Amino acid sequence: MRKWLSKAMFVMSVIALFFVVSACEEAKETLDHNIPSQLMEKEKNKEAASEEKIKIGFSMDTLEEERWLKDRDLFKEAVEALGATVEIMAANGDDAVQILQAETLISQGVDLLVVVPHNAEATAAIVNKAHLMGIKVLSYDRLIKNADIDFYISFDNERVGELQAEAITKLVPKGRYVYIGGAVTDNNAHLFKKGVFNVLQPLIDNGDITIVFDQWTKDWNPANAYTNMEAALKANHNQIDAVIAANDATAGGVIEALAAQGLAGKIPVAGQDAELAAAQRIVEGSQTMTVYKPIRTLAEEAAELAVKLAKGEEVAAERLVNNGKIEVSSILLSPIAVDKFNIDRTIITDGFHSWQEVYRNVGK
Ligand code: GAL
């Protein structure tokens, strides 16, 4: 009986041992199964964390004109809304400073550089340095020339010039015209001028229009535009019928020079950018028109492109633009002509400026 009992106990402990061992095996197996999924989870978290941490460097030429403050704020807002961060530096119109700042952004480990070049040619150096570190470059509003840039987003700047000339030639189909250009170092200044002359040239050729003064404005500086306009008036004994200025800041300088001769509001003047001061001059009568370029759309589309390019995702181009070295994948947004007749339903309706701001001085 005892023998039988100890045999039974032995069998039972063997069975118990079997269950313990197989339970352990099972636990180990679940653990083994869990290891890859735990690792995958960890990897996923890591990926999510690094996605969150996409860092964009925004290298700007200047914050002088009102528009660039909008670009800066709206771009930052849009990048952050996409879960990325942005480091912003502005170079005050100095090429060497802009290159140095871009180097700083690269050394801070940005994933992508967005550049508004002061000088279309000099900033090619930034592209080369960024590419050496595997960082892509997006050219913002202004084209970087002669470099392998990865993408370009802007407005149709040639169209901007055409809109200006179409509006002014409607009012002054024949006469003596002054062209006050932008900064010769900015590719946009050349495109604006090309657009203006697309419209003017046939009228110049048939003798209806004479260009009596045509100058670039160093660094887009309104004081330089003032000096140019003063010289234009002097050289032509004030016999000028219309002025096309490459932006609202230079138009401001032009209108001051006209005012000094008692001519403000008597000679049509075109600008572009839809700056508040220009919108006020339009409703007050000293500026004829401006061209509105919706900066929010530019900033939001650029932010989306920047984050996608930084992640190595595909981005769709609408057209190719030659920058002297390559055909650059590009998006060019549409500009809108604005005068006193459509100002309310364009820039005011869009919230670019408020009605109160624009009409602040009217009737006073
Ligand atoms: C141009 C830009 C204009 C104007 C100008 C001066 O490149 O397209 O909107 O702001 O620079 O900064």
Side-chain angles (χ1 to χ4, degrees):
M1 172 74 179
R2 226 189 221 188
K3 219 175 171 190
W4 180 86
L5 207 66
S6 63
K7 215 175 183 181
M9 274 173 72
F10 173 74
V11 170
M12 270 163 68
S13 34
V14 167
I15 291 172
L17 195 67
F18 170 77
F19 277 117
V20 169
V21 168
S22 58
C24 280
E25 277 301 317
E26 229 171 78
K28 189 170 168 275
E29 230 169 78
T30 3
L31 207 72
D32 283 349
H33 268 119
N34 277 347
I35 284 172
S37 68
Q38 278 164 353
L39 274 179
M40 265 165 65
E41 197 59 33
K42 227 176 168 185
E43 275 307 306
K44 256 200 232 151
N45 288 342
K46 250 206 258 152
E47 255 173 47
S50 73
E51 264 177 34
E52 270 167 35
K53 273 197 225 127
I54 287 246
K55 193 157 131 194
I56 307 294
F58 193 21
S59 162
M60 303 185 74
D61 162 24
T62 174
L63 292 171
E64 267 308 309
E65 279 97 7
E66 178 187 292
R67 69 151 291 181
W68 299 117
L69 299 170
K70 281 189 195 278
D71 287 270
R72 180 195 61 188
D73 297 346
L74 292 168
F75 183 72
K76 183 172 191 293
E77 194 184 303
V79 166
E80 287 173 355
L82 294 168
T85 61
V86 59
E87 278 299 320
I88 304 171
M89 289 189 162
N92 271 327
D94 186 320
D95 292 341
V97 170
Q98 186 163 29
I99 294 170
L100 263 177
Q101 289 180 337
E103 281 171 353
T104 306
L105 291 168
I106 292 169
S107 68
Q108 283 174 359
V110 295
D111 299 293
L112 181 128
L113 265 185
V114 177
V115 181
V116 183
H118 169 254
N119 183 314
E121 304 277 349
T123 33
I126 293 178
V127 182
N128 298 335
K129 285 175 200 235
H131 280 178
L132 278 178
M133 301 301 288
I135 297 168
K136 290 185 177 156
V137 179
L138 167 63
S139 206
Y140 181 103
D141 193 75
R142 298 174 178 171
L143 185 63
I144 299 175
K145 300 210 59 190
N146 294 312
D148 293 309
I149 49 174
D150 299 281
F151 212 97
Y152 168 51
I153 182 162
S154 184
F155 292 91
D156 184 340
N157 295 303
E158 206 172 311
R159 185 73 197 123
V160 170
E162 289 172 354
L163 290 174
Q164 292 183 308
E166 281 165 11
I168 299 299
T169 51
K170 233 182 239 165
L171 295 172
V172 186
K174 293 179 180 199
R176 299 161 64 80
Y177 272 61
V178 168
Y179 185 69
I180 301 292
V184 70
T185 46
D186 178 352
N187 185 59
N188 284 352
H190 296 269
L191 297 173
F192 298 144
K193 185 170 184 178
K194 184 163 189 292
V196 165
F197 281 84
N198 287 347
V199 175
L200 295 189
Q201 200 57 51
L203 301 164
I204 295 169
D205 292 344
N206 72 11
D208 284 349
I209 285 174
T210 314
I211 303 295
V212 295
F213 189 89
D214 173 2
Q215 278 292 329
W216 299 109
T217 305
K218 187 171 184 322
D219 282 336
W220 293 98
N221 188 331
N224 296 336
Y226 179 93
T227 312
N228 277 338
M229 191 61 213
E230 213 178 27
L233 285 162
K234 202 163 174 211
N236 292 282
H237 312 288
N238 288 2
Q239 298 307 299
I240 285 164
D241 299 307
V243 185
I244 298 179
N247 73 350
D248 286 337
T250 51
V254 164
I255 290 163
E256 260 184 56
L258 290 175
Q261 298 298 312
L263 293 172
K266 296 191 175 135
I267 296 175
V269 177
Q272 64 104 8
D273 273 343
E275 281 196 352
L276 177 59
Q280 290 170 335
R281 291 193 295 261
I282 288 174
V283 299
E284 289 159 24
S286 60
Q287 184 168 328
T288 314
M289 64 90 68
T290 184
V291 181
Y292 168 45
K293 301 182 295 188
I295 302 296
R296 179 179 286 281
T297 314
L298 174 68
E300 286 177 354
E301 291 209 17
E304 212 170 292
L305 284 168
V307 172
K308 279 191 178 161
L309 286 166
K311 287 181 185 169
E313 289 174 17
E314 282 291 308
V315 289
E318 280 171 4
R319 61 174 98 186
L320 297 173
V321 172
N322 190 296
N323 77 341
K325 185 168 190 195
I326 55 164
E327 295 290 329
V328 185
S329 301
S330 307
I331 292 178
L332 300 184
L333 306 168
S334 299
I336 300 157
V338 172
D339 59 15
K340 64 179 173 198
F341 302 109
N342 72 350
I343 198 163
D344 290 14
R345 60 173 193 273
T346 52
I347 57 180
I348 293 176
T349 302
D350 241 18
F352 200 68
H353 302 301
S354 74
W355 191 93
Q356 283 75 9
E357 285 172 319
V358 171
Y359 288 91
R360 195 170 57 206
N361 306 317
V362 174
K364 277 189 190 163

Short mmCIF file of all heavy atoms in Angstrom, two decimals, residues 266-320:
data_model
loop_
_atom_site.label_atom_id
_atom_site.label_comp_id
_atom_site.label_asym_id
_atom_site.label_seq_id
_atom_site.Cartn_x
_atom_site.Cartn_y
_atom_site.Cartn_z
N LYS A 266 -2.09 113.27 -58.96
CA LYS A 266 -2.36 113.78 -60.33
C LYS A 266 -1.77 112.85 -61.38
O LYS A 266 -2.13 112.94 -62.55
CB LYS A 266 -1.77 115.19 -60.47
CG LYS A 266 -2.48 116.16 -59.52
CD LYS A 266 -2.12 117.60 -59.82
CE LYS A 266 -2.94 118.52 -58.91
NZ LYS A 266 -2.16 119.58 -58.32
N ILE A 267 -0.81 112.03 -60.97
CA ILE A 267 -0.16 111.11 -61.91
C ILE A 267 -0.41 109.68 -61.42
O ILE A 267 -0.10 109.36 -60.26
CB ILE A 267 1.37 111.38 -61.96
CG1 ILE A 267 1.60 112.80 -62.51
CG2 ILE A 267 2.10 110.35 -62.79
CD1 ILE A 267 3.05 113.23 -62.49
N PRO A 268 -0.99 108.81 -62.26
CA PRO A 268 -1.22 107.44 -61.82
C PRO A 268 0.07 106.72 -61.41
O PRO A 268 1.10 106.84 -62.09
CB PRO A 268 -1.82 106.76 -63.06
CG PRO A 268 -2.43 107.88 -63.84
CD PRO A 268 -1.51 109.06 -63.61
N VAL A 269 0.00 106.01 -60.27
CA VAL A 269 1.16 105.25 -59.77
C VAL A 269 0.70 103.82 -59.43
O VAL A 269 -0.30 103.64 -58.75
CB VAL A 269 1.75 105.90 -58.49
CG1 VAL A 269 2.91 105.06 -57.94
CG2 VAL A 269 2.22 107.32 -58.76
N ALA A 270 1.47 102.85 -59.90
CA ALA A 270 1.17 101.44 -59.56
C ALA A 270 2.25 100.92 -58.61
O ALA A 270 3.41 101.30 -58.70
CB ALA A 270 1.17 100.60 -60.83
N GLY A 271 1.81 100.03 -57.69
CA GLY A 271 2.76 99.34 -56.81
C GLY A 271 2.33 97.88 -56.73
O GLY A 271 1.53 97.41 -57.53
N GLN A 272 2.86 97.17 -55.77
CA GLN A 272 2.40 95.79 -55.52
C GLN A 272 2.82 95.37 -54.12
O GLN A 272 3.79 95.89 -53.57
CB GLN A 272 2.94 94.82 -56.57
CG GLN A 272 4.44 94.67 -56.58
CD GLN A 272 4.95 93.39 -55.96
OE1 GLN A 272 4.21 92.49 -55.62
NE2 GLN A 272 6.26 93.31 -55.80
N ASP A 273 2.06 94.45 -53.54
CA ASP A 273 2.23 93.87 -52.19
C ASP A 273 0.98 94.08 -51.34
O ASP A 273 0.82 93.40 -50.32
CB ASP A 273 3.41 94.45 -51.39
CG ASP A 273 4.72 93.73 -51.66
OD1 ASP A 273 4.66 92.61 -52.20
OD2 ASP A 273 5.78 94.28 -51.35
N ALA A 274 0.14 95.06 -51.71
CA ALA A 274 -1.06 95.36 -50.91
C ALA A 274 -0.69 95.67 -49.47
O ALA A 274 -1.37 95.25 -48.53
CB ALA A 274 -2.06 94.22 -50.99
N GLU A 275 0.37 96.45 -49.29
CA GLU A 275 0.73 96.90 -47.93
C GLU A 275 -0.36 97.83 -47.42
O GLU A 275 -1.03 98.51 -48.22
CB GLU A 275 2.03 97.70 -47.98
CG GLU A 275 3.25 96.84 -48.06
CD GLU A 275 4.53 97.62 -47.73
OE1 GLU A 275 4.46 98.86 -47.59
OE2 GLU A 275 5.57 96.96 -47.60
N LEU A 276 -0.50 97.92 -46.11
CA LEU A 276 -1.53 98.78 -45.53
C LEU A 276 -1.38 100.23 -46.01
O LEU A 276 -2.36 100.85 -46.43
CB LEU A 276 -1.49 98.71 -44.00
CG LEU A 276 -2.48 99.64 -43.29
CD1 LEU A 276 -3.92 99.32 -43.70
CD2 LEU A 276 -2.32 99.55 -41.77
N ALA A 277 -0.14 100.75 -45.98
CA ALA A 277 0.07 102.15 -46.39
C ALA A 277 -0.39 102.36 -47.83
O ALA A 277 -0.97 103.40 -48.16
CB ALA A 277 1.54 102.51 -46.25
N ALA A 278 -0.16 101.36 -48.69
CA ALA A 278 -0.57 101.48 -50.10
C ALA A 278 -2.09 101.40 -50.21
O ALA A 278 -2.70 102.16 -50.98
CB ALA A 278 0.08 100.37 -50.91
N ALA A 279 -2.70 100.51 -49.45
CA ALA A 279 -4.17 100.39 -49.47
C ALA A 279 -4.79 101.73 -49.04
O ALA A 279 -5.76 102.20 -49.64
CB ALA A 279 -4.61 99.26 -48.55
N GLN A 280 -4.19 102.36 -48.03
CA GLN A 280 -4.68 103.68 -47.58
C GLN A 280 -4.50 104.72 -48.68
O GLN A 280 -5.39 105.52 -48.94
CB GLN A 280 -3.95 104.09 -46.30
CG GLN A 280 -4.34 103.23 -45.11
CD GLN A 280 -3.46 103.46 -43.89
OE1 GLN A 280 -2.32 103.88 -44.01
NE2 GLN A 280 -3.99 103.14 -42.72
N ARG A 281 -3.33 104.69 -49.33
CA ARG A 281 -3.10 105.68 -50.40
C ARG A 281 -4.10 105.48 -51.54
O ARG A 281 -4.51 106.43 -52.19
CB ARG A 281 -1.65 105.56 -50.94
CG ARG A 281 -0.58 106.02 -49.95
CD ARG A 281 0.78 106.18 -50.64
NE ARG A 281 1.33 104.94 -51.15
CZ ARG A 281 2.26 104.21 -50.53
NH1 ARG A 281 2.75 104.61 -49.36
NH2 ARG A 281 2.72 103.11 -51.08
N ILE A 282 -4.48 104.21 -51.78
CA ILE A 282 -5.44 103.94 -52.87
C ILE A 282 -6.80 104.56 -52.54
O ILE A 282 -7.38 105.26 -53.37
CB ILE A 282 -5.55 102.41 -53.13
CG1 ILE A 282 -4.26 101.93 -53.82
CG2 ILE A 282 -6.77 102.09 -53.99
CD1 ILE A 282 -4.17 100.43 -54.00
N VAL A 283 -7.28 104.34 -51.31
CA VAL A 283 -8.61 104.92 -51.01
C VAL A 283 -8.52 106.43 -50.81
O VAL A 283 -9.51 107.14 -50.95
CB VAL A 283 -9.29 104.22 -49.79
CG1 VAL A 283 -9.51 102.75 -50.09
CG2 VAL A 283 -8.52 104.41 -48.50
N GLU A 284 -7.32 106.92 -50.54
CA GLU A 284 -7.15 108.38 -50.36
C GLU A 284 -6.84 109.07 -51.69
O GLU A 284 -6.93 110.29 -51.79
CB GLU A 284 -6.02 108.66 -49.36
CG GLU A 284 -6.43 108.30 -47.92
CD GLU A 284 -5.23 108.08 -47.01
OE1 GLU A 284 -4.13 108.60 -47.30
OE2 GLU A 284 -5.40 107.36 -46.00
N GLY A 285 -6.44 108.29 -52.71
CA GLY A 285 -6.28 108.87 -54.05
C GLY A 285 -4.87 109.12 -54.56
O GLY A 285 -4.71 109.56 -55.69
N SER A 286 -3.81 108.85 -53.76
CA SER A 286 -2.48 109.15 -54.29
C SER A 286 -1.83 107.95 -54.99
O SER A 286 -0.83 108.11 -55.69
CB SER A 286 -1.56 109.68 -53.18
OG SER A 286 -1.43 108.74 -52.16
N GLN A 287 -2.36 106.76 -54.80
CA GLN A 287 -1.84 105.58 -55.53
C GLN A 287 -3.00 104.95 -56.30
O GLN A 287 -4.12 104.86 -55.78
CB GLN A 287 -1.20 104.57 -54.55
CG GLN A 287 -0.56 103.38 -55.26
CD GLN A 287 0.33 102.52 -54.35
OE1 GLN A 287 0.95 103.02 -53.42
NE2 GLN A 287 0.39 101.22 -54.62
N THR A 288 -2.73 104.52 -57.53
CA THR A 288 -3.81 104.01 -58.38
C THR A 288 -4.16 102.57 -58.08
O THR A 288 -5.33 102.21 -58.00
CB THR A 288 -3.38 104.12 -59.86
OG1 THR A 288 -2.82 105.42 -60.06
CG2 THR A 288 -4.54 103.87 -60.79
N MET A 289 -3.15 101.75 -57.97
CA MET A 289 -3.42 100.32 -57.77
C MET A 289 -2.25 99.64 -57.07
O MET A 289 -1.15 100.19 -56.97
CB MET A 289 -3.70 99.62 -59.11
CG MET A 289 -2.57 99.58 -60.11
SD MET A 289 -1.48 98.13 -59.97
CE MET A 289 -2.55 96.79 -60.47
N THR A 290 -2.53 98.43 -56.59
CA THR A 290 -1.48 97.58 -56.04
C THR A 290 -1.80 96.16 -56.51
O THR A 290 -2.83 95.93 -57.15
CB THR A 290 -1.44 97.66 -54.49
OG1 THR A 290 -0.32 96.89 -54.01
CG2 THR A 290 -2.70 97.14 -53.83
N VAL A 291 -0.92 95.22 -56.23
CA VAL A 291 -1.21 93.83 -56.57
C VAL A 291 -1.17 93.04 -55.26
O VAL A 291 -0.19 93.12 -54.51
CB VAL A 291 -0.21 93.26 -57.60
CG1 VAL A 291 -0.57 91.82 -57.93
CG2 VAL A 291 -0.21 94.11 -58.86
N TYR A 292 -2.27 92.36 -55.03
CA TYR A 292 -2.43 91.59 -53.79
C TYR A 292 -1.94 90.16 -54.02
O TYR A 292 -2.39 89.48 -54.95
CB TYR A 292 -3.90 91.61 -53.39
CG TYR A 292 -4.31 90.65 -52.30
CD1 TYR A 292 -3.54 90.48 -51.14
CD2 TYR A 292 -5.49 89.90 -52.43
CE1 TYR A 292 -3.93 89.59 -50.15
CE2 TYR A 292 -5.88 89.02 -51.43
CZ TYR A 292 -5.11 88.87 -50.30
OH TYR A 292 -5.50 87.99 -49.32
N LYS A 293 -1.02 89.73 -53.17
CA LYS A 293 -0.51 88.36 -53.24
C LYS A 293 -0.86 87.70 -51.89
O LYS A 293 -0.28 88.08 -50.87
CB LYS A 293 1.00 88.36 -53.46
CG LYS A 293 1.39 89.08 -54.75
CD LYS A 293 2.87 89.05 -55.04
CE LYS A 293 3.67 89.81 -54.02
NZ LYS A 293 5.10 89.94 -54.40
N PRO A 294 -1.84 86.81 -51.86
CA PRO A 294 -2.28 86.24 -50.58
C PRO A 294 -1.14 85.48 -49.87
O PRO A 294 -0.82 84.34 -50.20
CB PRO A 294 -3.43 85.31 -50.96
CG PRO A 294 -3.86 85.79 -52.31
CD PRO A 294 -2.62 86.30 -52.98
N ILE A 295 -0.55 86.16 -48.89
CA ILE A 295 0.64 85.61 -48.21
C ILE A 295 0.28 84.36 -47.39
O ILE A 295 1.09 83.44 -47.27
CB ILE A 295 1.26 86.68 -47.28
CG1 ILE A 295 1.64 87.94 -48.08
CG2 ILE A 295 2.49 86.14 -46.54
CD1 ILE A 295 2.70 87.75 -49.12
N ARG A 296 -0.95 84.33 -46.86
CA ARG A 296 -1.33 83.16 -46.06
C ARG A 296 -1.25 81.88 -46.90
O ARG A 296 -0.73 80.86 -46.44
CB ARG A 296 -2.74 83.35 -45.48
CG ARG A 296 -3.21 82.15 -44.66
CD ARG A 296 -4.57 82.35 -44.07
NE ARG A 296 -4.60 83.27 -42.95
CZ ARG A 296 -4.23 82.96 -41.71
NH1 ARG A 296 -3.81 81.74 -41.43
NH2 ARG A 296 -4.29 83.85 -40.75
N THR A 297 -1.74 81.96 -48.13
CA THR A 297 -1.70 80.77 -49.00
C THR A 297 -0.26 80.36 -49.27
O THR A 297 0.09 79.17 -49.21
CB THR A 297 -2.41 81.07 -50.35
OG1 THR A 297 -3.64 81.73 -50.07
CG2 THR A 297 -2.66 79.82 -51.14
N LEU A 298 0.58 81.36 -49.56
CA LEU A 298 2.00 81.07 -49.82
C LEU A 298 2.63 80.40 -48.59
O LEU A 298 3.29 79.36 -48.71
CB LEU A 298 2.73 82.37 -50.14
CG LEU A 298 4.26 82.28 -50.29
CD1 LEU A 298 4.64 81.48 -51.53
CD2 LEU A 298 4.91 83.67 -50.36
N ALA A 299 2.41 80.98 -47.43
CA ALA A 299 3.04 80.48 -46.21
C ALA A 299 2.54 79.06 -45.88
O ALA A 299 3.34 78.18 -45.52
CB ALA A 299 2.75 81.43 -45.05
N GLU A 300 1.24 78.85 -46.03
CA GLU A 300 0.69 77.53 -45.68
C GLU A 300 1.16 76.45 -46.66
O GLU A 300 1.53 75.36 -46.26
CB GLU A 300 -0.84 77.59 -45.63
CG GLU A 300 -1.31 78.33 -44.38
CD GLU A 300 -2.81 78.50 -44.28
OE1 GLU A 300 -3.52 78.14 -45.24
OE2 GLU A 300 -3.27 78.99 -43.21
N GLU A 301 1.15 76.78 -47.96
CA GLU A 301 1.60 75.78 -48.94
C GLU A 301 3.10 75.50 -48.77
O GLU A 301 3.55 74.36 -48.89
CB GLU A 301 1.29 76.24 -50.36
CG GLU A 301 -0.20 76.22 -50.62
CD GLU A 301 -0.57 75.97 -52.07
OE1 GLU A 301 0.29 75.49 -52.85
OE2 GLU A 301 -1.72 76.25 -52.42
N ALA A 302 3.86 76.56 -48.46
CA ALA A 302 5.31 76.38 -48.27
C ALA A 302 5.57 75.50 -47.04
O ALA A 302 6.44 74.63 -47.07
CB ALA A 302 5.98 77.73 -48.11
N ALA A 303 4.80 75.71 -45.97
CA ALA A 303 4.99 74.92 -44.75
C ALA A 303 4.72 73.44 -45.03
O ALA A 303 5.47 72.56 -44.61
CB ALA A 303 4.07 75.44 -43.66
N GLU A 304 3.65 73.20 -45.78
CA GLU A 304 3.30 71.82 -46.10
C GLU A 304 4.41 71.15 -46.94
O GLU A 304 4.82 70.02 -46.67
CB GLU A 304 1.99 71.82 -46.88
CG GLU A 304 1.15 70.59 -46.61
CD GLU A 304 -0.23 70.75 -47.21
OE1 GLU A 304 -1.00 71.61 -46.71
OE2 GLU A 304 -0.51 70.05 -48.18
N LEU A 305 4.88 71.90 -47.94
CA LEU A 305 5.97 71.38 -48.79
C LEU A 305 7.21 71.11 -47.94
O LEU A 305 7.85 70.06 -48.08
CB LEU A 305 6.34 72.42 -49.85
CG LEU A 305 5.41 72.60 -51.04
CD1 LEU A 305 5.78 73.87 -51.80
CD2 LEU A 305 5.50 71.39 -51.95
N ALA A 306 7.54 72.07 -47.07
CA ALA A 306 8.76 71.96 -46.27
C ALA A 306 8.73 70.71 -45.41
O ALA A 306 9.69 69.94 -45.37
CB ALA A 306 8.93 73.21 -45.41
N VAL A 307 7.60 70.47 -44.73
CA VAL A 307 7.52 69.32 -43.83
C VAL A 307 7.57 68.02 -44.63
O VAL A 307 8.26 67.07 -44.25
CB VAL A 307 6.25 69.42 -42.93
CG1 VAL A 307 6.04 68.15 -42.14
CG2 VAL A 307 6.37 70.63 -42.00
N LYS A 308 6.86 67.99 -45.77
CA LYS A 308 6.88 66.78 -46.61
C LYS A 308 8.29 66.50 -47.13
O LYS A 308 8.77 65.36 -47.08
CB LYS A 308 5.92 66.94 -47.79
CG LYS A 308 4.48 66.66 -47.42
CD LYS A 308 3.64 66.57 -48.68
CE LYS A 308 2.20 66.23 -48.31
NZ LYS A 308 1.27 66.55 -49.39
N LEU A 309 8.94 67.54 -47.64
CA LEU A 309 10.30 67.36 -48.18
C LEU A 309 11.25 66.90 -47.07
O LEU A 309 12.11 66.05 -47.29
CB LEU A 309 10.82 68.66 -48.80
CG LEU A 309 10.23 69.07 -50.16
CD1 LEU A 309 10.57 70.51 -50.48
CD2 LEU A 309 10.74 68.15 -51.27
N ALA A 310 11.07 67.45 -45.88
CA ALA A 310 11.93 67.08 -44.75
C ALA A 310 11.75 65.61 -44.40
O ALA A 310 12.68 64.93 -43.98
CB ALA A 310 11.63 67.96 -43.55
N LYS A 311 10.53 65.09 -44.59
CA LYS A 311 10.26 63.68 -44.27
C LYS A 311 10.63 62.76 -45.42
O LYS A 311 10.43 61.56 -45.36
CB LYS A 311 8.77 63.50 -43.98
CG LYS A 311 8.31 64.05 -42.65
CD LYS A 311 6.82 63.77 -42.50
CE LYS A 311 6.27 64.40 -41.25
NZ LYS A 311 4.79 64.34 -41.23
N GLY A 312 11.09 63.38 -46.53
CA GLY A 312 11.46 62.57 -47.71
C GLY A 312 10.24 62.12 -48.50
O GLY A 312 10.32 61.20 -49.30
N GLU A 313 9.09 62.78 -48.27
CA GLU A 313 7.88 62.40 -49.01
C GLU A 313 7.86 63.07 -50.39
O GLU A 313 8.52 64.08 -50.61
CB GLU A 313 6.63 62.82 -48.23
CG GLU A 313 6.41 61.98 -47.00
CD GLU A 313 5.25 62.48 -46.15
OE1 GLU A 313 4.43 63.27 -46.63
OE2 GLU A 313 5.19 62.07 -44.97
N GLU A 314 7.06 62.49 -51.27
CA GLU A 314 6.91 63.05 -52.63
C GLU A 314 6.09 64.33 -52.57
O GLU A 314 5.13 64.41 -51.82
CB GLU A 314 6.12 62.06 -53.50
CG GLU A 314 6.96 60.89 -53.99
CD GLU A 314 8.00 61.31 -55.01
OE1 GLU A 314 7.62 61.98 -55.99
OE2 GLU A 314 9.19 60.97 -54.82
N VAL A 315 6.49 65.34 -53.34
CA VAL A 315 5.67 66.55 -53.45
C VAL A 315 5.41 66.83 -54.93
O VAL A 315 6.28 66.61 -55.76
CB VAL A 315 6.32 67.79 -52.78
CG1 VAL A 315 6.34 67.67 -51.27
CG2 VAL A 315 7.73 68.01 -53.28
N ALA A 316 4.19 67.31 -55.22
CA ALA A 316 3.83 67.51 -56.61
C ALA A 316 4.12 68.94 -57.06
O ALA A 316 3.72 69.89 -56.40
CB ALA A 316 2.35 67.21 -56.80
N ALA A 317 4.82 69.05 -58.19
CA ALA A 317 5.10 70.38 -58.76
C ALA A 317 4.01 70.70 -59.77
O ALA A 317 3.41 69.81 -60.36
CB ALA A 317 6.44 70.38 -59.43
N GLU A 318 3.75 72.02 -59.94
CA GLU A 318 2.77 72.42 -60.95
C GLU A 318 3.46 72.77 -62.25
O GLU A 318 2.87 72.72 -63.31
CB GLU A 318 1.98 73.63 -60.46
CG GLU A 318 0.89 73.24 -59.50
CD GLU A 318 0.24 74.44 -58.84
OE1 GLU A 318 0.59 75.59 -59.18
OE2 GLU A 318 -0.60 74.20 -57.97
N ARG A 319 4.70 73.20 -62.14
CA ARG A 319 5.46 73.54 -63.35
C ARG A 319 6.95 73.55 -63.04
O ARG A 319 7.36 73.41 -61.89
CB ARG A 319 5.03 74.88 -63.89
CG ARG A 319 5.24 76.03 -62.93
CD ARG A 319 4.94 77.34 -63.61
NE ARG A 319 3.59 77.80 -63.28
CZ ARG A 319 3.02 78.86 -63.84
NH1 ARG A 319 3.65 79.52 -64.77
NH2 ARG A 319 1.82 79.25 -63.47
N LEU A 320 7.73 73.70 -64.10
CA LEU A 320 9.18 73.77 -63.95
C LEU A 320 9.64 75.18 -64.27
O LEU A 320 9.13 75.81 -65.20
CB LEU A 320 9.86 72.78 -64.89
CG LEU A 320 9.55 71.31 -64.64
CD1 LEU A 320 10.14 70.43 -65.73
CD2 LEU A 320 10.09 70.86 -63.28
#
